[in-house]
């Protein structure tokens, strides 16, 4: 039996935060270590440029930060091929061929793209490259014949669109050149970590994130500032745990869930103060992220080695993508000279 193939990635628009860790990174590391997959992890710098074209320096810096984030959480270049999207020319050619199989109105209906257009105030002036990024993402996935794409929930529309492109391509040009991928999403309710302020989404632009690279002091300060239960005024008041960010984080990060259940009961009954529970969460998070922080510091001392890892990964990825491109060209009959 063929090994299953994973392709996944992130846009390098900033450092990764502990929401990324819960939503995808920890799962990728587990899948990588299972030995059941050949794993490709891509830093999607070109996709990041579709809405940051005028700020290439940000993308360049973030690329290095994301590489450090990967290495620090345990993505292992000996087990996963980590590569840079812009260094794989075949992805661009595949995108061009697929674009002919997709309509503009279909692109405009993609719910994730639609939401992003609103968020970024692109209504009157969508960069063309931004509108078509789902097609480029289909190229990313199909170039590696990925069977399995572990991503956050917001990426479901990209997978749907990729499958459509695969079916159309195989239908029009040749059966079984491209592979239909399957998305792997976090279990319901476990995939999204709220921000420090209780907002449903942790994000850099909302200023409510804890970064994997935050030092111990910053982490503690952030935890002590977290949103809890606004109705829990005196320690003796009964508190609410629903929508209480401190408890959501404990659910996500504390390995001792029996203890969490006990603290919840105590908090609901009254008598457990916010400062105390935050101190407890701080201990849990410090224990979880200290080793990650230490590994990051080690890699950070040696940027050449980090870039070398990316370069080698990109070379390996390039060979795979070139092979798929050759099959695509053959299927389309644009192979005039061989
Ligand atoms: N769109 C993804 C994100 O924003 C990043 C990405 C680009 C990706 N190409 C991909 C994810 C291919 C999975 C597969 O997170």
């Amino acid at each position: 039996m063929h090994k299953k193939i994973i392709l996944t990635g992130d846009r390098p628009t900033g450092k990764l935060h502990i929401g990324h860790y819960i939503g995808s990174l920890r799962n990728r590391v587990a899948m990588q270590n299972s030995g059941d997959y050949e794993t490709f992890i891509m830093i999607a710098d070109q996709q990041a440029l579709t809405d940051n074209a005028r700020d290439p320096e940000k993308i360049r810096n973030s690329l290095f930060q994301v590489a450090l984030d990967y290495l620090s959480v345990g993505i292992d270049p000996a087990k996963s091929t980590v590569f840079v999207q812009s260094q794989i020319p075949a992805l661009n050619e595949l995108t061009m061929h697929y674009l002919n199989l997709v309509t503009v109105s279909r692109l405009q209906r993609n719910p994730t793209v639609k939401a992003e257009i609103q968020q970024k105030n692109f209504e009157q002036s969508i960069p063309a490259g931004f509108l078509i990024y789902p097609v480029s993402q289909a190229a990313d996935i199909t170039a590696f014949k990925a069977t399995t794409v572990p991503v956050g929930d917001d990426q479901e529309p990209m997978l749907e669109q990729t499958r459509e492109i695969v079916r159309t391509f195989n239908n029009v040009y040749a059966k079984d050149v491209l592979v239909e991928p399957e998305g792997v999403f976090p279990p319901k309710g476990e995939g999204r970590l709220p921000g420090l302020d209780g907002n449903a989404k942790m994000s850099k632009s909302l200023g409510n994130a804890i970064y994997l690279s935050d030092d111990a002091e910053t982490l503690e300060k952030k935890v002590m500032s977290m949103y809890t239960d606004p109705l829990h005024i005196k320690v003796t008041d009964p508190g609410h745990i629903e929508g209480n960010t401190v408890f959501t984080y404990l659910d996500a990060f504390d390995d001792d869930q029996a203890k969490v259940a006990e603290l919840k009961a105590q908090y609901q009954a009254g008598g457990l103060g916010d400062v105390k529970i935050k101190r407890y969460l701080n201990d849990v998070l410090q224990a979880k992220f200290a080793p990650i922080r230490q590994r990051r510091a080690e890699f950070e001392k040696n940027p050449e080695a980090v870039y070398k890892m990316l370069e080698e990964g990109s070379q390996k990825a390039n060979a795979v993508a070139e092979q798929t491109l050759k099959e695509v060209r053959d299927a389309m009959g644009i192979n005039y000279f061989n």
Side-chain angles (χ1 to χ4, degrees):
M1 208 193 77
H2 283 298
K3 245 190 183 178
K4 291 190 155 203
I5 300 172
I6 289 178
L7 180 285
T8 184
D10 298 283
R11 293 182 196 180
T13 53
K15 299 184 279 192
L16 300 181
H17 52 60
I18 66 173
H20 293 114
Y21 181 80
I22 291 297
S24 61
L25 294 173
R26 62 173 176 172
N27 186 32
R28 287 183 200 167
V29 172
M31 289 175 101
Q32 161 201 274
N33 291 339
S34 73
D36 297 339
Y37 303 90
E38 170 156 24
T39 305
F40 294 92
I41 302 180
M42 180 183 74
I43 307 186
D45 61 333
Q46 256 193 294
Q47 188 175 111
L49 284 163
T50 63
D51 62 331
N52 290 279
R54 282 157 186 82
D55 197 359
E57 200 52 32
K58 174 169 104 183
I59 308 308
R60 198 185 159 79
N61 293 333
S62 302
L63 181 117
F64 181 64
Q65 295 300 326
V66 170
L68 288 177
D69 288 327
Y70 283 171
L71 291 167
S72 68
V73 297
I75 286 174
D76 177 355
K79 297 180 185 161
S80 293
T81 304
V82 183
F83 70 99
V84 180
Q85 187 182 32
S86 63
Q87 305 306 301
I88 317 297
L91 298 178
N92 295 305
E93 185 175 333
L94 289 172
T95 302
M96 288 303 286
H97 297 316
Y98 297 168
L99 275 170
N100 299 328
L101 305 174
V102 176
T103 65
V104 173
S105 69
R106 174 64 181 89
L107 285 164
Q108 285 167 332
R109 276 201 310 277
N110 182 307
T112 298
V113 175
K114 226 170 155 169
E116 286 171 318
I117 286 172
Q118 256 178 15
Q119 258 167 41
K120 296 170 202 285
N121 291 318
F122 276 168
E123 282 94 341
Q124 299 310 316
S125 58
I126 315 172
F130 184 80
L131 183 66
I132 67 150
Y133 89 71
V135 180
S136 136
Q137 193 157 335
D140 302 336
I141 294 169
T142 55
F144 298 91
K145 307 206 171 183
T147 55
T148 311
V149 183
V151 276
D153 299 323
D154 62 334
Q155 298 295 304
E156 169 70 53
M158 309 306 160
L159 277 138
E160 194 54 48
Q161 202 155 8
T162 300
R163 282 191 290 268
E164 279 174 37
I165 291 169
V166 168
R167 284 195 288 266
T168 309
F169 184 95
N170 286 345
N171 230 351
V172 173
Y173 298 113
K175 287 217 174 339
D176 304 331
V177 172
L178 301 183
V179 175
E180 269 191 58
E182 188 179 71
V184 178
F185 303 98
K188 278 256 168 306
E190 286 177 30
R192 178 154 286 186
L193 200 66
L196 291 168
D197 55 358
N199 189 301
K201 198 176 164 179
M202 178 176 283
S203 88
K204 186 175 56 167
S205 48
L206 294 170
N208 63 6
I210 296 176
Y211 295 96
L212 291 167
S213 48
D214 280 345
D215 60 28
E217 206 183 317
T218 308
L219 174 57
E220 180 178 5
K221 236 191 259 158
K222 287 182 176 176
V223 170
M224 297 314 286
S225 79
M226 273 173 76
Y227 178 82
T228 56
D229 171 12
L231 303 174
H232 189 231
I233 298 173
K234 283 184 288 182
V235 174
T236 47
D237 290 342
H240 297 83
I241 56 167
E242 308 78 27
N244 186 324
T245 316
V246 173
F247 284 100
T248 312
Y249 282 26
L250 285 176
D251 287 340
F253 291 105
D254 195 350
D255 296 326
D256 187 354
Q257 284 295 315
K259 172 86 182 174
V260 174
E262 206 178 287
L263 291 169
K264 282 180 179 170
Q266 221 183 325
Y267 193 83
Q268 286 173 308
L272 178 56
D274 280 358
V275 169
K276 207 161 166 192
I277 193 76
K278 284 176 177 176
R279 288 221 175 99
Y280 177 76
L281 173 62
N282 180 53
D283 291 342
V284 168
L285 292 180
Q286 298 287 358
K288 189 124 236 156
F289 291 107
I292 291 177
R293 204 152 52 212
Q294 276 154 18
R295 271 201 298 274
R296 192 176 215 285
E298 286 306 309
F299 288 114
E300 205 164 7
K301 278 190 233 154
N302 196 350
E304 292 82 13
V306 175
Y307 281 110
K308 181 120 191 78
M309 181 271 299
L310 293 175
E311 188 180 3
E312 285 171 4
S314 298
Q315 276 162 2
K316 198 171 154 204
N318 196 48
V320 177
E322 283 296 331
Q323 173 57 31
T324 303
L325 177 61
K326 183 183 175 307
E327 293 167 29
V328 161
R329 286 173 158 225
D330 286 346
M332 295 174 70
I334 53 172
N335 53 354
Y336 315 111
F337 307 128
N338 45 25

